[in-house]
Amino acid sequence: MNTNQLFLPFLIFAISSNSFLSSASEAPPAVVDIDGKILQIGVDYYILPVVRGRGGGLTLDSIGNKTCPLDAVVQEQHEIDNGLPLTFTPVNPKKGVIRESTDLNIKFSAASICVQTTLWKLGDYDETTGRYFVSIGGNEGNPGRETISNWFKIEKYKRDYKLVYCPTVCNFCKVICKDVGIFIQDGVRRLALSDVPFRVMFKKA
């Protein structure tokens, strides 16, 4: 056996190893909760504001005089209220870890009295307010054109985090890319696309 035959398998192994290490190092950082622990799939968390004195955690509400559907994702009025727990499921649920800048389904763990899914989605454009509000009623998983409104991201923002709508699950879809912020409508603190991000942190429920 000549030296070239011995060298070739080693070269292939070296290239494969370098590719693996490179792809591993390029994975986005994991999102951590207020205790410094990595967010996991299937675990309940509260989304809480970093800035105190401007409301609490997130919950559901109906807009107007109707009882159902509970279609608005809103912030609790009082900061002592944690709101409802939520789960995060990335586009590739086999990974098990929630990472920054990765497409996610976000879902309230609590059941709705209105018999509806509690998965977040981006609602239609509201001409009255000129806003896109975060609502519920999306379909979990199945990344693609049909579910484009159901995917959000967690991104690092200074020392904290922010929520973002900028799905990348459809290569040929034209999407809006904006931060999720707070829009006050009739005294209700609703989640909506905004130029001012809602700075958040995560607490295990």
Side-chain angles (χ1 to χ4, degrees):
M1 183 180 293
N2 61 38
T3 55
N4 287 338
Q5 289 176 310
L6 289 171
F7 179 70
L8 183 60
F10 173 78
L11 181 62
I12 294 173
F13 174 77
I15 292 172
S16 300
S17 298
N18 286 336
S19 299
F20 173 79
L21 292 172
S22 176
S23 60
S25 63
E26 290 172 1
V31 180
V32 297
D33 63 17
I34 58 175
D35 295 319
K37 296 182 179 179
I38 295 175
L39 266 62
Q40 304 283 340
I41 294 176
V43 177
D44 288 343
Y45 297 93
Y46 295 111
I47 298 180
L48 302 175
V50 171
V51 180
R52 311 305 293 173
R54 298 182 186 175
L58 302 182
T59 187
L60 287 169
D61 200 356
S62 58
I63 301 302
N65 298 322
K66 59 187 178 182
T67 303
C68 285
L70 295 171
D71 54 0
V73 179
V74 304
Q75 185 184 12
E76 294 277 13
Q77 293 292 339
H78 306 290
E79 71 172 74
I80 60 172
D81 293 328
N82 288 331
L84 298 174
L86 306 102
T87 57
F88 306 97
T89 306
V91 65
N92 185 354
K94 294 181 180 179
K95 298 296 183 181
V97 172
I98 308 303
R99 296 190 177 276
E100 297 174 17
S101 304
T102 301
D103 288 296
L104 303 166
N105 284 151
I106 303 176
K107 185 178 182 179
F108 285 109
S109 295
S112 168
I113 60 172
C114 298
V115 190
Q116 63 192 113
T117 173
T118 57
L119 189 83
W120 285 22
K121 71 174 184 178
L122 187 69
D124 296 329
Y125 180 74
D126 185 272
E127 293 185 355
T128 304
T129 60
R131 298 278 177 170
Y132 286 93
F133 290 104
V134 179
S135 181
I136 62 168
N139 298 312
E140 194 164 4
N142 299 314
R145 184 184 185 92
E146 293 75 18
T147 63
I148 197 69
S149 63
N150 304 338
W151 300 93
F152 296 82
K153 294 178 180 178
I154 299 170
E155 292 187 355
K156 196 71 176 177
Y157 183 64
K158 298 180 180 178
R159 297 180 61 185
D160 308 305
Y161 293 103
K162 64 179 181 177
L163 303 173
V164 173
Y165 178 79
C166 188
T168 53
V169 295
C170 176
N171 293 330
F172 54 86
C173 295
K174 185 177 180 180
V175 299
I176 304 168
C177 284
K178 268 201 166 184
D179 294 328
V180 175
I182 299 293
F183 180 80
I184 301 176
Q185 182 182 30
D186 298 327
V188 179
R189 302 178 65 85
R190 299 185 65 180
L191 263 64
L193 298 193
S194 173
D195 294 326
V196 181
F198 178 41
R199 294 172 60 185
V200 298
M201 55 187 177
F202 305 96
K203 178 183 178 182
K204 188 174 179 181

